[in-house]
Amino acid sequence: MSRILAQTSWTPCQSGFDAFAALSGDDNPIHTNPDYAAQHPFGAPVAHGMLIWARLQSLAQAAGISPTADVTLRFPAPAYAGERLDLRVTEEKGALSARAARADGTLVCEILWGGP
């Protein structure tokens, strides 16, 4: 059984996507240009995967957890501006993991520290 170590919710916004693009240099229009993104299969701008990862990493660190550098990331579904995400860091049998999921439970990011 997993133990929740930290949890919160976060609602990404377009201005956050734009700020992350400016900071990171990743200005791919799928994140920053609503007109372009509307023509893409996602249909709207999506969060940078590394922006979601940074939020989860920050949550873990704020809880006093120092995850290892050995990390596995998965981004099985997009995260959209205005869509609340539930963020959670857990421990099970000594293994740390984190996840971001939509309110309906759809997983958008999973992090496994220490390998798969």
Side-chain angles (χ1 to χ4, degrees):
M1 181 169 190
S2 64
R3 180 171 60 109
I4 298 171
L5 303 175
Q7 63 183 355
T8 191
S9 63
W10 167 57
T11 303
C13 62
Q14 187 61 53
S15 63
F17 297 173
D18 297 342
F20 190 81
L23 178 69
S24 68
D26 180 356
D27 60 357
N28 184 317
I30 195 61
H31 307 300
T32 60
N33 184 324
D35 293 331
Y36 172 86
Q39 302 305 313
H40 190 278
F42 291 144
V46 297
H48 298 76
M50 291 296 100
L51 174 58
I52 302 168
W53 171 84
R55 295 296 300 230
L56 289 168
Q57 182 79 13
S58 177
L59 179 63
Q61 290 177 335
I65 301 161
S66 297
T68 67
D70 183 10
V71 63
T72 301
L73 297 171
R74 286 188 336 114
F75 301 98
Y80 298 98
E83 181 175 63
R84 189 188 91 225
L85 298 178
D86 296 316
L87 310 179
R88 180 179 291 182
V89 178
T90 59
E91 180 272 331
E92 184 172 358
K93 298 179 184 175
L96 291 174
S97 64
R99 60 183 282 136
R102 296 181 190 150
D104 69 2
T106 301
L107 186 64
V108 299
C109 179
E110 180 178 50
I111 304 172
L112 304 172
W113 287 289

